[in-house]
C-alpha cells in the first residue's frame, strides 16, 4: 500500500510527466517559459490549484451528480484559480503581470481537468492529493527546466541574474515562440530517450535473471 | 416528489450545483476580504518607481485634463506629491499607441521642467526585443531635456542623435520605441499646455 502511494506521487513527476510524457497543457508551457522564474511561478500556481481541486473533487465525488460533473469541476477549479489570482495580484504583482492572461486560463488547463476526471473522481482523498502534488511538481519542474534553457540561451541570464557577458551573444529566437517549440521538442526527445533507456535496462535485467538461472541449472 | 423520479433528480442536481457555487462564492469573498487591491494603493506602489514619496491625484482643472490635438498618446492620470511644499513635480500615467501589442503605458516624472524619470506602468512587449525599449538605459535618453516653449516633443532617429530632442530607437524594436516616444510626447505636450494655461491665470 505504501509503495502504491509513493508510485502515485512519483507517477506525475517522471513516468507520466504532464509536459514531456502526456504532452498536456502545452499552451501555457510555451507561452510563459520565456524566463525561468515565470515557469516556476506558473508551475506553483498550477500545483496549488491541482492539489486543492483534486482534494475537493475527491471529497465531493459522491455528492456531485454524474451528469453535471464537468460544470461542477469547472466551478471548483475556477474558484481556486481566482484565489491564486487574487493572492498573487496582492503579494506578487510583478509575477502577476508577467503571467498575464495565462493565470486565469489555468481554469481550462487540461492537466487539472484531466486529473479531476481521470483520477480524483474515482480515488480516495489522500491518493488524489498525492496525485495532485506529483503532477504539479512534474509540471513545475518541466516548466522551470524549459524556462532555464530558454532564458540562458535567449537572454544570457538565469532567474534574472546575468551570467557573465553571455547576454551579448544571446540568441533572441529562444525567447520568441519559435524557440519555445525548439526547446520543448528537444527536451521532450531527450526525456523520452532517457526514459526508454531506463525501461530497456529494466527489461534486460528482468530477462537476464531467469536466463542466468537456466544456465546455472544447465551447468 | 419520489426519490428516483425525474423531478427529484432535476431538483437535486440544481441544488448541488447551487450549493457548490454558493460555497465557492463564500470562499472567494473571504479571500477578497484579505487580498483586495485598492486601485489607488496600486498606483502609489507603482508610482514609487518614479517618485520617492506619497502621491495624490492632481486636481484636474478644466481644459488641462487632456493633451490637446494629439492622437498618438493619452494622459490616463496625473499625480502630484502629497507633500504640498514640493512644487513643480508631476507624475503622469501616459499611454502611447503604436506598440507591438497595441499600446503601452508609462509613468513619467516631470520635475522642474524636465523629465527626470520614466518607468514602465503596463506593457507586454516581446522579452529581449521590445522590452529593450522599456529599460532604464533607453529611458535615460528622454531625461533632462528642458521642456521649453519651443520644444515640440521627441523625435525618433536611427542614427546617433545630433539635435536636442532626438532619441535613438532601439534596433529591432522600432515599434516599441515609437510607442514609448508617443507616450512621452503626450506627457510633454500636456506639461506645456498646463504651464501655458497656468501662466495665464
Amino acid at each position: 500500500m505504501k509503495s502504491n502511494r509513493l508510485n502515485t506521487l512519483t507517477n506525475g513527476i517522471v513516468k507520466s510527466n504532464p509536459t514531456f510524457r502526456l504532452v498536456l497543457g502545452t499552451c501555457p508551457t510555451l507561452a510563459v517559459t520565456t524566463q525561468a522564474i515565470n515557469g516556476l511561478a506558473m508551475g506553483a500556481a498550477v500545483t496549488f490549484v491541482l492539489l486543492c481541486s483534486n482534494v475537493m473533487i475527491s471529497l465531493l465525488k459522491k455528492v456531485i451528480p454524474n451528469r453535471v460533473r464537468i460544470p461542477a469541476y469547472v466551478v471548483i477549479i475556477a474558484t481556486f484559480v481566482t484565489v491564486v489570482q487574487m493572492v498573487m495580484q496582492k503579494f506578487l504583482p510583478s509575477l502577476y503581470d508577467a503571467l498575464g492572461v495565462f493565470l486565469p486560463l489555468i481554469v481550462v488547463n487540461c492537466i487539472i481537468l484531466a486529473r479531476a476526471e481521470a483520477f480524483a473522481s474515482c480515488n480516495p482523498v489522500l491518493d488524489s492529493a498525492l496525485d495532485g502534488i506529483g503532477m504539479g511538481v512534474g509540471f513545475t519542474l518541466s516548466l522551470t527546466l524549459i524556462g532555464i534553457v530558454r532564458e540562458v540561451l535567449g537572454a544570457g541570464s538565469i532567474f534574472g541574474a546575468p551570467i557573465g557577458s553571455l547576454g551579448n551573444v544571446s540568441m533572441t529566437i529562444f525567447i520568441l515562440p519559435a524557440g519555445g517549440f525548439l526547446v520543448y521538442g528537444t527536451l521532450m526527445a531527450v526525456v523520452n530517450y532517457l526514459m526508454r533507456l531506463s525501461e530497456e535496462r529494466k527489461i534486460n535485467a528482468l530477462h537476464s535473471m531467469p536466463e542466468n538461472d537456466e544456465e546455472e541449472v544447465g551447468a | 416528489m419520489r426519490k428516483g423520479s425525474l423531478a427529484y433528480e432535476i431538483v437535486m442536481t440544481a441544488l448541488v450545483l447551487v450549493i457548490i457555487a454558493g460555497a465557492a462564492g463564500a470562499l472567494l469573498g473571504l479571500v477578497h476580504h484579505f487580498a483586495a487591491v485598492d486601485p489607488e494603493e496600486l498606483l502609489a506602489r507603482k508610482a514609487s518607481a518614479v517618485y520617492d514619496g506619497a502621491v495624490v491625484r492632481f486636481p484636474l482643472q478644466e481644459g488641462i485634463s487632456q493633451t490637446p490635438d494629439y492622437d498618438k498618446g493619452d494622459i490616463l492620470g496625473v499625480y502630484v506629491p502629497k507633500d504640498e511644499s514640493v512644487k513643480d513635480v508631476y507624475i503622469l500615467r501616459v499611454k502611447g499607441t503604436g506598440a507591438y501589442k497595441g499600446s503601452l503605458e508609462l509613468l513619467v516624472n516631470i520635475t522642474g521642467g524636465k523629465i527626470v524619470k520614466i518607468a514602465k506602468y503596463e506593457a507586454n512587449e516581446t522579452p529581449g526585443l521590445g522590452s529593450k525599449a522599456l529599460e532604464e538605459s533607453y529611458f535615460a535618453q528622454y531625461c533632462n531635456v528642458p521642456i521649453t516653449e519651443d520644444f515640440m516633443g521627441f523625435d525618433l532617429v536611427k542614427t546617433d542623435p545630433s539635435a536636442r530632442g532626438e532619441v535613438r530607437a532601439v534596433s529591432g524594436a522600432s515599434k516599441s520605441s515609437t510607442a514609448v516616444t508617443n507616450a512621452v510626447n503626450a506627457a510633454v505636450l500636456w506639461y506645456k499646455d498646463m504651464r501655458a494655461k497656468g501662466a495665464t491665470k
Side-chain angles (χ1 to χ4, degrees):
Chain A
M1 197 65 189
K2 230 175 190 174
S3 73
N4 251 349
R5 292 242 156 97
L6 194 68
N7 269 344
T8 311
L9 185 66
T10 55
N11 185 39
I13 301 174
V14 187
K15 217 167 78 199
S16 305
N17 185 297
T19 311
F20 292 127
R21 299 286 288 175
L22 305 181
V23 202
L24 289 175
T26 39
C27 171
T29 301
L30 290 167
V32 305
T33 52
T34 51
Q35 285 181 316
I37 187 73
N38 292 357
L40 188 64
M42 183 72 186
V46 168
T47 307
F48 173 79
V49 175
L50 201 49
L51 173 63
C52 294
S53 65
N54 260 14
V55 168
M56 197 52 85
I57 286 163
S58 182
L59 277 173
L60 296 176
K61 62 179 179 285
K62 293 235 170 69
V63 184
I64 296 171
N66 200 33
R67 286 176 202 175
V68 290
R69 64 185 193 284
I70 298 293
Y73 295 167
V74 171
V75 170
I76 292 169
I77 294 166
T79 308
F80 290 117
V81 171
T82 315
V83 167
V84 169
Q85 212 184 335
M86 288 199 284
V87 170
M88 218 178 218
Q89 189 177 16
K90 174 85 175 174
F91 300 105
L92 299 164
S94 60
L95 275 178
Y96 176 80
D97 287 345
L99 294 182
V101 73
F102 291 98
L103 202 51
L105 275 180
I106 296 176
V107 175
V108 285
N109 189 307
C110 42
I111 300 170
I112 296 171
L113 215 50
R115 292 330 283 175
E117 172 76 10
F119 197 93
S121 64
C122 46
N123 278 291
V125 177
L126 186 62
D127 293 71
S128 301
L130 289 176
D131 178 73
I133 294 172
M135 283 286 163
V137 169
F139 188 61
T140 310
L141 288 178
S142 317
L143 254 63
T144 313
L145 182 64
I146 299 174
I148 289 173
V149 172
R150 287 180 71 182
E151 199 183 338
V152 168
L153 293 176
S157 60
I158 185 162
F159 286 103
I163 310 171
S165 54
L166 201 62
N168 300 335
V169 290
S170 60
M171 294 167 275
T172 308
I173 187 170
F174 283 105
I175 285 183
L176 301 177
F181 280 104
L182 284 173
V183 172
Y184 188 18
T186 313
L187 285 178
M188 201 191 286
V190 170
V191 168
N192 281 297
Y193 177 72
L194 291 177
M195 287 296 293
R196 215 176 65 188
L197 272 192
S198 87
E199 263 164 38
E200 273 173 8
R201 205 171 298 149
K202 255 184 224 162
I203 291 168
N204 283 344
L206 225 66
H207 277 286
S208 59
M209 262 191 300
E211 274 171 25
N212 285 344
D213 287 350
E214 275 172 12
E215 273 170 23
E216 279 169 23
V217 170
Chain B
M1 213 159 53
R2 272 180 306 108
K3 194 174 177 182
S5 72
L6 185 64
Y8 177 84
E9 258 187 50
I10 290 173
V11 169
M12 280 313 281
T13 303
L15 199 64
V16 168
L17 281 181
V18 166
I19 291 171
I20 290 176
L27 177 68
L28 287 182
L30 190 73
V31 173
H32 180 78
H33 183 71
F34 292 109
V37 180
D38 180 25
E40 289 295 315
E41 184 196 321
L42 185 73
L43 185 113
R45 191 163 59 197
K46 291 210 175 185
S48 67
V50 294
Y51 179 73
D52 203 11
V55 294
V56 289
R57 196 172 269 276
F58 182 58
L60 288 178
Q61 291 160 37
E62 202 63 27
I64 55 169
S65 58
Q66 279 167 347
T67 308
D69 307 323
Y70 188 67
D71 56 0
K72 291 176 183 166
D74 237 332
I75 305 291
L76 300 175
V78 183
Y79 302 84
V80 289
K82 204 170 183 177
D83 181 2
E84 283 181 13
S85 65
V86 182
K87 297 274 181 224
D88 209 13
V89 174
Y90 299 94
I91 289 112
L92 295 106
R93 187 179 143 210
V94 284
K95 189 172 102 175
T97 59
Y100 190 65
K101 287 179 185 161
S103 63
L104 49 76
E105 291 176 24
L106 303 175
L107 283 170
V108 179
N109 177 349
I110 302 182
T111 299
K114 288 174 187 170
I115 292 171
V116 292
K117 195 136 196 221
I118 300 174
K120 163 182 127 168
Y121 185 81
E122 198 169 298
N124 285 313
E125 298 306 285
T126 316
L129 282 177
S131 68
K132 284 183 180 162
L134 297 165
E135 284 172 5
E136 197 106 347
S137 54
Y138 177 71
F139 287 151
Q141 293 191 79
Y142 298 95
C143 293
N144 294 321
V145 177
I147 305 171
T148 49
E149 279 310 309
D150 59 333
F151 184 63
M152 294 312 293
F154 293 94
D155 292 311
L156 218 50
V157 291
K158 296 210 164 162
T159 52
D160 278 328
S162 55
R164 183 168 72 109
E166 281 190 348
V167 167
R168 187 184 180 133
V170 176
S171 65
S174 48
K175 278 195 157 190
S176 306
S177 306
T178 306
V180 169
T181 308
N182 288 342
V184 173
N185 280 343
V188 167
L189 292 174
W190 177 87
Y191 182 77
K192 280 176 65 180
D193 187 53
M194 191 274 307
R195 198 170 50 186
K197 281 182 179 151
T200 58
K201 268 183 187 163

